[in-house]
């Protein structure tokens, strides 16, 4: 069966649901493209009469998206399907959607991704997809001319029900049979509730969702903005009845159920986490429990936001594919789960949203003119950075090939429309200059931090050109590669002219300016050392607290480490007071918060107009936990795990760490433990790869090479590594 819809669909054949996918056909730029699913339905068919139908929902096509009104792409769902049956004699029967089909309304009274779903079980159509059903009162469908858009198979895994969490409760005094009860799922998720009740016919209840409770123990819903996030159910009565909404999801940890009367009994209540079906590939743990919880929160931040597209958040009326958020998190995501298909598909969304000028949209799929304009530095650069990171993790050039033209057009747009004298976001040509170092804690305009926007812009521009030069080289486009490299050098010179003083100091003397200049390698040697110590000084002055936003945060620890300030990096990592990564953890977070001060003991909740408790961006530190704390890094020159760099850098209070990563070349793992002045290491090299050990400072000079298999090593301080066992 080939099937798609503008809207959402769920098919049934002979009373059984087809497949396990949720929110099909997924979200794309429907004005250009829609995905088609293919199911082998042989096992559902039988000799003789068969019945086939579909339930349609609004979804992204005609429900609310973000804070916009309904019907953004079209007025109502449209369905297209083809059942192809090859008979034993080889002949093929095709049953297609045409004007012979009929439709009816049913028990779903409302369905909306942002608002919720209402279901009246009294209106269920018994046996509607079984042969023999009499479709009395059903009306002929309206046949529409096929829109001129691309039908495409999806590269992305579908969204599925991934984890079911049994909910205990309720909290506080309320009893399940009372009028109103609040339940704690124990984990902030994206998904919905599956509930079994016993109640009278016509008895009803509604389920509200929230991420947090307020000071009075009530649901805190102000941060959901216009998202109603409420599901409603009316009982048909009699036996137990189980319901899980079909065409909605919410971002929540707490649920409140309000009953029409005390005669409805909850038999079972579960929370169902929904996300795209990406296999888990990475795991990490260490001797510091709070850092382990941070890592779990990073992982849950991904699960809650990798739902069809990489969203900023799953709860408020937003849930959009923000390019900047995806860009900062992509390398952490590539460790945690298999995101090849997910990003291959999303890069198509990015390309579909590209403007004729070459500008890259703030969000993909694009939803309106505002989010469709140039996304600015750190956001639009996702068009280059994301394919590059996916290539680094999987070693598959196709994502570079597929996106090369988009990248080129984007770079030309920057040159023609956003630069003056190689300075990107130069105020004379780009007065807005982008989102800045979004949500940084160092003052500046609104939520944009104090890092000069032209500094951010030019730093990212240089990075784009560096990557593009490497990508061109990988694709065999030698002339392009040389061209972009030379261009980068000019940009770097312009950067130095504008942002580095004669004394080697950096304009924009804050954390993020230094982080970007160092990480993108934009400074001359002497200025590098000055910048690194200025950065360390700034952090010390703040008593080892972060002041970085979305753009400075991902790299700050790596930059410190590379500049010989590993101790400072660990102090930041293990900082428990605000602003820091562990502050939310200490305060019970189960996901990554959007803002360092999403909630603080003195001020309570941050401004409700923008305050999500499930935003993965600051979880970008995950890449450093894996690459430095545990010590597994993929070599971009031999990508996909062909060559592993083991580079554990013990520090802080952490005495033991381990990580494991299923790369496309096999499993790579590391486990290290500090015993006095020794470091015990167990390394696993992928079956189709090799590895180099880069020992921490003070342990051994030089490098050690390894082939596939497991190796146990003891590093003595200053003594050359002694291999005690080498198996293959
Ligand atoms: C989103 C962010 C996004 C930002 C850009 C916010 O509303 O939630 O994560 O990157 O806007 O300004």
């Amino acid at each position: 069966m080939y099937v798609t819809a503008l809207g959402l669909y769920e098919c049934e054949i002979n009373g059984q649901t087809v497949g396990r996918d949720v929110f099909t056909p997924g979200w794309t730029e429907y004005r250009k493209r829609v995905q088609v699913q293919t199911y082998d339905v042989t096992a559902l068919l039988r000799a003789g009469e068969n019945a086939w139908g579909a339930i349609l929902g609004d979804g992204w096509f005609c429900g609310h998206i973000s804070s916009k009104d309904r019907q953004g792409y079209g007025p109502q769902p449209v369905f297209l399907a083809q059942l192809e049956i090859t008979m034993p004699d080889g002949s093929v029967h095709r049953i297609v959607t045409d004007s012979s089909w009929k439709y009816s309304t049913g028990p779903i009274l409302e369905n909306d991704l942002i608002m919720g779903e209402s279901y009246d079980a009294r209106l269920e159509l018994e046996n509607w997809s079984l042969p023999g059903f009499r479709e009395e009162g059903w009306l002929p469908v309206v046949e529409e001319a096929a829109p001129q858009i691309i039908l495409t198979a999806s590269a992305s895994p579908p969204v599925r029900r991934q984890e079911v969490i049994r909910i205990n409760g309720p909290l506080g005094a309320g009893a399940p049979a009372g009028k109103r009860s609040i339940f704690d799922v124990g984990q902030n998720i994206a998904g919905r509730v599956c509930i079994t009740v016993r109640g009278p016919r016509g008895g009803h209840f509604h389920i509200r969702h929230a991420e947090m409770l307020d000071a009075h123990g009530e649901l805190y819903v102000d941060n959901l903005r216009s998202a109603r996030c409420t599901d409603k159910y009316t009982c048909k009565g009699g036996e137990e009845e189980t319901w899980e909404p079909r065409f909605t999801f919410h971002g929540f940890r707490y649920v409140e159920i309000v009953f029409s009367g005390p005669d409805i009994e909850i038999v079972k209540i579960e929370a169902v986490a929904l996300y795209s079906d990406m296999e888990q590939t990475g795991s990490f743990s260490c001797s510091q429990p709070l850092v382990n919880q941070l890592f779990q929160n990073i992982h849950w931040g991904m699960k809650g936001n990798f739902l069809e597209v990489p969203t900023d958040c799953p709860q408020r009326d937003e849930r959009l594919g923000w390019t900047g958020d995806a860009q900062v998190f992509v390398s952490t995501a590539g460790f945690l789960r298999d995101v090849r298909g997910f990003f291959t598909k999303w890069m198509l969304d990015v390309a579909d949203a590209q403007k004729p000028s070459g500008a890259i949209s703030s969000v993909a799929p694009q939803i309106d003119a505002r989010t469709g304009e140039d996304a600015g530095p750190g956001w639009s650069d996702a068009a280059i950075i994301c394919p590059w990171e996916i290539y680094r993790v999987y070693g598959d050039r196709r994502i570079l090939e597929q996106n090369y033209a988009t990248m080129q057009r984007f770079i030309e747009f920057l040159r023609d429309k956003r630069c003056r004298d190689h300075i990107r976001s130069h105020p004379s040509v780009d007065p807005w200059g982008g989102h800045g170092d979004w949500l940084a804690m160092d003052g500046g305009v609104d939520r944009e931090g104090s890092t000069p926007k032209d500094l951010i812009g030019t730093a990212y521009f240089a990075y784009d050109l560096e990557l593009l030069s490497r990508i061109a080289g990988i694709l065999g486009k030698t002339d392009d590669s040389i061209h972009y490299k030379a261009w980068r050098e000019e940009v770097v010179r312009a950067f130095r002219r504008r942002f580095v003083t004669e004394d080697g100091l950096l304009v924009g003397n804050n954390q993020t300016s230094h982080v970007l200049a160092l990480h993108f390698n934009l400074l001359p040697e002497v200025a590098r050392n000055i910048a690194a110590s200025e950065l360390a000084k700034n952090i010390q002055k703040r008593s080892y607290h972060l002041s970085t936003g979305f753009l400075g945060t991902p790299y700050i620890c790596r930059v410190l480490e590379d500049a010989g300030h590993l101790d400072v990096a660990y102090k930041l990592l293990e900082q428990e007071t605000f602003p820091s990564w562990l502050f939310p953890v200490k305060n019970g977070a189960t996901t990554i918060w959007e803002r360092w001060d999403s909630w603080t003991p003195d001020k309570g909740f941050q401004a409700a107009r923008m305050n999500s408790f499930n935003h993965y961006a600051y979880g970008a530190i995950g890449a450093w936990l894996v690459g430095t704390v545990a010590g597994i890094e993929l070599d971009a020159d031999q990508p996909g795990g062909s060559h592993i760099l083991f580079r554990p850098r013990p520090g802080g209070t952490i005495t033991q760490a381990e990580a494991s990563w299923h790369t496309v070349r096999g499993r790579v793992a590391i486990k290290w433990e500090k015993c006095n002045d020794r470091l015990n290491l167990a390394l696993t090299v992928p079956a189709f790869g090799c590895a180099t050990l880069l020992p921490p400072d003070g342990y051994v000079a030089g490098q050690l090479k390894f082939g596939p298999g497991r190796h146990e090593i003891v590093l003595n301080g200053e003594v050359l590594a002694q291999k005690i066992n080498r198996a293959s």
Side-chain angles (χ1 to χ4, degrees), residues 122-169:
R122 294 172 303 181
L123 301 177
E124 280 174 357
L125 305 161
E126 284 296 305
N127 301 332
W128 71 274
S129 66
L130 282 179
F133 176 75
R134 297 181 49 193
E135 64 272 4
E136 269 163 26
W138 287 46
L139 300 169
V141 296
V142 178
E143 215 177 338
E144 286 214 0
Q148 295 305 301
I149 60 175
I150 300 165
L151 296 178
T152 174
S154 179
S156 182
V159 175
R160 288 202 172 134
R161 301 167 91 246
Q162 302 286 356
E163 292 175 56
V164 177
I165 304 170
R166 184 77 189 248
I167 308 177
N168 300 316

Side-chain angles (χ1 to χ4, degrees), residues 312-313 316 318 322 325 379 435 438 550 594 610 615:
D312 55 338
C313 56
R316 68 179 175 225
E318 186 141 14
W322 280 95
D325 306 39
W379 271 252
H435 300 287
W438 188 242
F550 275 28
E594 176 174 27
M610 218 195 72
H615 238 71

Side-chain angles (χ1 to χ4, degrees), residues 338-413:
D338 183 346
V339 292
R340 274 177 286 187
F342 185 85
F343 270 98
T344 301
K345 179 265 178 186
W346 186 66
M347 292 319 301
L348 264 181
D349 298 335
V350 172
D352 280 348
Q354 187 172 32
K355 296 271 136 181
S357 65
I360 297 292
S361 146
S362 282
V363 301
Q366 179 203 318
I367 58 157
D368 57 20
R370 180 181 66 84
T371 56
E373 282 159 15
D374 169 30
W379 271 252
S380 54
D381 311 84
I384 296 179
I385 297 170
C386 291
W388 170 254
E389 285 297 323
I390 295 301
Y391 167 75
R392 200 174 60 84
V393 176
Y394 304 103
D396 186 340
R397 290 163 27 145
R398 284 176 298 178
I399 194 154
L400 304 180
E401 279 158 10
Q402 284 156 9
N403 291 284
Y404 190 67
T406 300
M407 298 179 195
Q408 284 191 304
R409 289 206 293 129
F410 166 57
I411 279 291
E412 282 153 23
F413 162 77

Side-chain angles (χ1 to χ4, degrees), residues 25 104 169 179 248 274 294 309 320 397 407 430 505 616 652 683 698:
S104 165
K179 278 283 263 179
T248 194
L274 301 168
L294 169 67
V309 305
L320 299 174
R397 290 163 27 145
M407 298 179 195
D430 180 16
L505 289 171
Y616 56 63
L683 309 175

